[in-house]
Amino acid sequence: MISIRKVSKHYGSFQVLTDCSTDVQKGEVIVVCGPSGSGKSTLIKCVNGLEPFQQGEILVNGISVGDPKTNLSKLRAHVGMVFQNFELFPHMSVTDNLAIAQIKVLGRGREEAVDRGLKLLDRVGLLAQADKFPGQLSGGQQQRVAIARALAMDPICMLFDEPTSALDPEMVNEVLDVMVGLALGGMTMMVVTHEMGFARRVAHRVIFMDQGRIVEDAPKEAFFGTPRSERAQQFLSKILHH
Amino acid sequence: MSYHWNWSVFLAQVPSGGTTYLGWMLSGLATTLALSLSAWLIALAVGSLMGVLRTVPGRWLSGIAALYVELFRNIPLLVQLFIWYFVLPEILPTGIGNAYKAINPMLQQFTAAMICLGLFTGARVCEQVRSGIDSLPRGQKYAGLALGFSLPQTYRHVLLPMAFRIIVPPLTSEFLNIFKNSAVASTIGLLELAAEGRQLVDYTAQPYESFIAVTLTFMMLNALVMVLMHRVEGRTRVPGYIGGGS
Amino acid sequence: MYEFDWSSIPGALPFLWAGMKTTLEITALAVAVGIVWGTLLAIMRMSGIRLLSWFAAGYVNLFRSIPLVMVLLWFFLIVPALMESVFSIPRTSDTRLASAMVAFALFEAAYYAEIIRAGIQSVHKGQMGAALALGMSYGQAMRLVVLPQAFRNMVPLLLTQGIILFQDTSLVYVSSLADFFGAAYKVGDRDGRLVELLLFAGAVYFLICFSASLLVKRFQKKVIA
């Protein structure tokens, strides 16, 4: 589904990503972790072309992201993304947030779009908030709406960029529960997160990044059982004893 | 001091007949309103377009917008007005220049002043629009693009609606400025409010009445615009939204 | 097509330079007086004394709501007449220059007052509290603690306002006083070369204001860094 081949990226002389390669199969859930500044958010933004990269190749469903001839908007319309700071559109009601891209990008009729949006809003348990504005919701609620907004586009896979790190601790679980539900439903997911509990429950593989490189890329059991690199071990013990 | 106050001067007939001095003042006010509002439309259109260009990737487009802003911000309004009015018709190709000079002088003055004020204020609007867009979290643009919006769609549906809401207060002061700056058009002979006031001084030797009336009218316009823009601000307020930043 | 002829400019340079000196004089005086009077207005407005704060607010709002051209006309047509009738001083170019300077200073003070008020308010309230807690009087706290910090933050804005004022001085044209723009216009009108002289004046203003604004920007970066 997603194939990342020897991707490197630099800002001027600063190397952000070096030779990153991995594959995500259909239905697979991959957790990407690592210390801050390790390039994990940059890598996930390269997957849908929000960040350009200089070397290597990324294929999503067989389409090359780096190819200038690729219609990126068309590709992104089918790759859901959830951001650290939710990024709901503050000037639109929850319903409009869910419907706007379906209408303007997918060309759905308003009625169909609202219908689909509300169904997903119900799935994340927020149907009652349909007419509110983002600023009137808690962080956890906003993030659940953001997930529903991405799902409304019928994505072939979902990217999560630290979806819980801007949340108050008591709201983390309501968002993780939605994500677990998605994972168990067979969604292909690439998740940048420090929530190791989530990784243990639903991830198939865990990728550990440090200084722009993929240091570990192992099945969940192997990663938590015997992480090979010293840095990964340090990172894990820090996270677990936090 | 023996100044003879005479407020009824406004009701006296003008020497050329047909109207009162009050009629002159009202026609001046109408010209001020027409000039300011039409220039404001130009300023909003040009300023928004240029403001967007300043924020798009690509050096060429943002360079053009930056050049526009610097050029129109660093030359006095009066000089710009004289260039539009006196210089442009001369340096246009002879045919067009002569055709322009043949039209009604009042219309010449009005168009020159309108274009001048519009582009002058547009440069300021441009900077406000740019800072409004820049004040939005970067993630908003990403979120728009990630949903499959094209860049123009992202501006249209995501960035601009918020940016314009944020800049209503500074735009209000530019809107106020355009009314005040419109008085500069009196220097090329356009009979707007300030010029009518001055004309009244020349004809009646009642300077205080005339100037007080003009000054009060400008203050009323000012208050009116403030009330109006306050309404706009209230109408476009986003429920639950506290401020920019993430 | 128009044929440009720039030949009347070189000979007119001394006259234009004299005009530029007038422009600079008006600008410098208006900036200096405007900042002092503007600071006083800002302090009055923020003082707890109701009469003073009403006066300052009224003053600032009055001047900010009327066009500069109107203010200048008030001063050019009415102040000299007043001086003539009250002090029997004849109308000369000296009184014109003086009333221009007074008009600009009083007008700009209203704009400076708002910049300075915002600057003072941006200095953390805790600073005032700390100074008062040390036993300083309100005046001492303002003068020794708050204002120095506020001015440091405000310098770029004050300078930018100075550039705007420099441009606005061209409006003394309404009094036919020969500032730089007035001089350029007169030369152009005399020689029938208005096109060249207006373009020349525009270019000179642009060069001065653009370089000045670049300096302000550089200075701003230094202050922030």
Side-chain angles (χ1 to χ4, degrees), chain C residues 52-201:
Chain C
L52 287 182
S53 72
W54 277 355
F55 167 75
Y59 179 98
V60 169
N61 289 334
L62 172 70
F63 275 99
R64 284 173 67 97
S65 62
I66 51 179
L68 178 55
V69 171
M70 273 315 290
V71 176
L72 290 171
L73 287 176
W74 266 106
F75 276 83
F76 289 137
L77 295 177
I78 288 173
V79 172
L82 211 65
M83 286 165 90
E84 195 177 15
S85 63
V86 179
F87 305 109
S88 50
I89 299 169
R91 298 183 197 204
T92 63
S93 65
D94 285 344
T95 54
R96 275 212 316 256
L97 183 62
S99 37
M101 285 176 169
V102 175
F104 276 108
L106 294 183
F107 181 80
E108 290 300 323
Y111 285 79
Y112 280 122
E114 285 299 277
I115 296 175
I116 291 163
R117 186 164 72 107
I120 293 175
Q121 280 170 343
S122 75
V123 175
H124 202 271
K125 267 207 181 119
Q127 291 285 309
M128 181 52 110
L132 294 177
L134 285 171
M136 291 187 192
S137 69
Y138 179 83
Q140 283 175 318
M142 203 53 144
R143 198 158 40 84
L144 300 174
V145 179
V146 175
L147 282 181
Q149 296 181 60
F151 270 105
R152 207 179 126 85
N153 300 338
M154 286 179 309
V155 168
L157 274 178
L158 293 176
L159 290 175
T160 304
Q161 185 63 30
I163 297 174
I164 294 172
L165 172 58
F166 175 74
Q167 295 185 24
D168 281 346
T169 54
S170 59
L171 288 173
V172 296
Y173 172 83
V174 297
S175 80
S176 63
L177 202 74
D179 72 321
F180 174 67
F181 178 73
Y185 185 85
K186 275 178 189 162
V187 172
D189 204 28
R190 182 195 65 194
D191 298 351
R193 287 288 155 202
L194 206 50
V195 169
E196 288 81 356
L197 265 295
L198 287 175
L199 290 176
F200 175 73

Side-chain angles (χ1 to χ4, degrees), chain A residues 46-110:
Chain A
C46 286
V47 172
N48 64 352
L50 286 181
E51 292 275 4
F53 49 92
Q54 285 88 16
Q55 278 139 42
E57 187 180 39
I58 296 180
L59 298 174
V60 176
N61 213 13
I63 300 163
S64 168
V65 176
D67 185 345
K69 276 174 293 193
T70 299
N71 183 338
L72 274 180
S73 296
K74 209 169 159 187
L75 177 85
R76 287 170 183 150
H78 298 289
V79 177
M81 187 163 207
V82 175
F83 297 86
Q84 183 176 356
N85 291 307
F86 333 132
E87 306 300 354
L88 293 178
F89 305 138
H91 57 293
M92 294 178 196
S93 69
V94 166
T95 304
D96 287 339
N97 261 284
L98 292 163
I100 178 101
Q102 295 184 64
I103 297 169
K104 300 291 175 186
V105 177
L106 300 181
R108 288 180 183 159
R110 181 163 176 91

Side-chain angles (χ1 to χ4, degrees), chain B residues 70-71 73-76 78-79 82 87 90-91 94 180 183 194 198 208 211-212 214-215 218-219 222, chain C residues 1-2 4 62 64-67 70 73-74 77-78 82 111 167 170 173-174 181 185 195 205-206 209:
Chain B
E70 294 305 339
L71 196 63
R73 214 168 42 173
N74 286 307
I75 297 176
L78 182 68
V79 181
F82 276 40
V87 176
E90 299 295 336
I91 59 176
T94 321
K180 290 183 268 174
R198 214 177 161 179
Y208 292 96
F211 275 27
I212 288 171
V214 173
T215 303
F218 271 114
M219 289 173 76
N222 207 67
Chain C
M1 216 39 192
Y2 188 82
F4 287 97
L62 172 70
R64 284 173 67 97
S65 62
I66 51 179
M70 273 315 290
L73 287 176
W74 266 106
L77 295 177
I78 288 173
L82 211 65
Y111 285 79
Q167 295 185 24
S170 59
Y173 172 83
V174 297
F181 178 73
Y185 185 85
V195 169
Y205 275 112
F206 178 79
C209 297

Side-chain angles (χ1 to χ4, degrees), chain B residues 16 23 33 86 108 112 126 144 153 165 178 180-181 192 194 203 221:
Chain B
S16 50
L33 285 174
F86 290 113
Q108 280 182 50
C126 167
Q153 279 181 315
R165 284 175 167 88
I178 218 166
K180 290 183 268 174
N181 285 334
E192 46 66 72
Y203 279 78
L221 275 179

Side-chain angles (χ1 to χ4, degrees), chain C residues 4 16 20 38:
Chain C
F4 287 97
L16 292 171
M20 182 55 85

